[in-house]
Amino acid sequence: MAASKSYGAIAKIFHWLIFLLLAAQYAVGSIMPHIGRGTLNEGWVNWHLSIGAAILFVILLRLIWRLSFPVTLSTGMSRWESILAYATHLILYALVLIMTLLGWAAANARGWDVKLFGIVTLPAIAPNGSSWGHEAGDIHNILVYVLLGFIVLHVAGALYHYYVLRDRVLQRMLPADGAS
Ligand code: HEM
Ligand code: HEM
């Protein structure tokens, strides 16, 4: 199938939905109590698992959509700009997916069930008390900052296009934009 030149409504909804869910997840992740031996899966911790499961669900749908309906990068970018933008997008997808899987394993290692929308209990991917599940939690806690770094890079790129290059790349992800 030929790649489209612009993002459709569904791709934009997915983009901004993930943005909102990640913002909520970072907020909850930073106000929830530090997770240790005696921590219970309740309150903000429980919210963190619920939002995390929703992020996993939406990012999988988004990836399926993206692969089914390819979109080309904006034309008119230099070679290094295109490579940087493309690599950043790829890393963002990968990191969000990896973060959710590591968080899921970390939750299971603490003996917590992960539920999707509070209804569907996801199967445990790490046994209760497993050491690799706890290591997954440690990596999860580090990737929190790595993902944040790439988000900052990505947003800086979007603002650079808008304020410095003054092209229409930022508008490509906004509701009103058509092809550009
Ligand atoms: C991309 C999505 C996610 C983001 C941005 C995120 C963010 C965070 C943050 C900021 C913390 C606190 C780190 C600290 O205290 O140093 C954390 C810890 C944690 N998160 Fe997530 N999280 C995500 C997805 C998930 C998912 C899907 C789950 C489980 C279903 C989960 C489970 C946990 C657990 C269990 C911890 C404690 C880790 C440990 O020390 O064992 N997270 N996360
Ligand atoms: C204020 C925040 C944000 C702005 C202004 C923004 C802006 C944009 C723009 C303009 C594009 C289209 C680039 C192009 O023309 O090729 C885009 C694509 C993308 N954004 Fe964001 N973004 C934001 C937040 C995020 C966040 C938090 C994520 C985290 C996952 C993210 C992930 C992506 C990905 C993966 C793509 C590539 C879409 C694709 O081609 O499949 N964005 N963003």
Side-chain angles (χ1 to χ4, degrees):
M1 193 204 312
S4 167
K5 286 204 180 78
S6 61
Y7 293 104
I10 306 282
K12 291 177 186 176
I13 290 171
F14 274 139
H15 178 272
W16 293 110
L17 186 57
I18 288 286
F19 168 79
L20 289 177
L21 286 169
L22 282 180
Q25 188 70 324
Y26 269 102
V28 170
S30 56
I31 56 176
M32 71 185 182
H34 179 72
I35 293 174
R37 217 168 256 281
T39 314
L40 297 175
N41 178 10
E42 59 182 23
W44 289 121
V45 173
N46 190 250
W47 271 107
H48 190 74
L49 304 197
S50 300
I51 297 170
I55 293 176
L56 175 60
F57 182 72
V58 176
I59 202 73
L60 286 176
L61 287 183
R62 184 178 172 191
L63 279 169
I64 293 170
W65 189 264
R66 178 63 169 88
L67 296 173
S68 313
F69 302 100
V71 180
T72 56
L73 280 174
S74 177
T75 51
M77 285 201 278
S78 69
R79 193 172 152 72
W80 75 265
E81 264 189 306
S82 308
I83 293 173
L84 185 63
Y86 187 74
T88 307
H89 293 165
L90 221 87
I91 290 170
L92 284 171
Y93 280 129
L95 276 177
V96 170
L97 191 61
I98 292 168
M99 283 283 295
T100 53
L101 297 176
L102 292 174
W104 179 1
N108 293 155
R110 294 186 182 280
W112 300 338
D113 279 340
V114 178
K115 287 189 181 176
L116 182 62
F117 306 130
I119 312 168
V120 187
T121 303
L122 304 183
I125 56 171
N128 188 352
S130 86
S131 63
W132 87 262
H134 281 287
E135 277 156 26
D138 293 341
I139 303 172
H140 182 85
N141 290 349
I142 295 168
L143 290 189
V144 161
Y145 301 100
V146 178
L147 175 60
L148 202 58
F150 278 100
I151 292 175
V152 168
L153 177 67
H154 174 68
V155 175
L159 296 179
Y160 175 68
H161 278 283
Y162 188 76
Y163 286 108
V164 180
L165 300 179
R166 294 173 188 268
D167 57 22
R168 294 191 54 82
V169 167
L170 174 63
Q171 284 85 338
R172 275 163 53 96
M173 207 36 104
L174 299 184
D177 185 63
S180 60

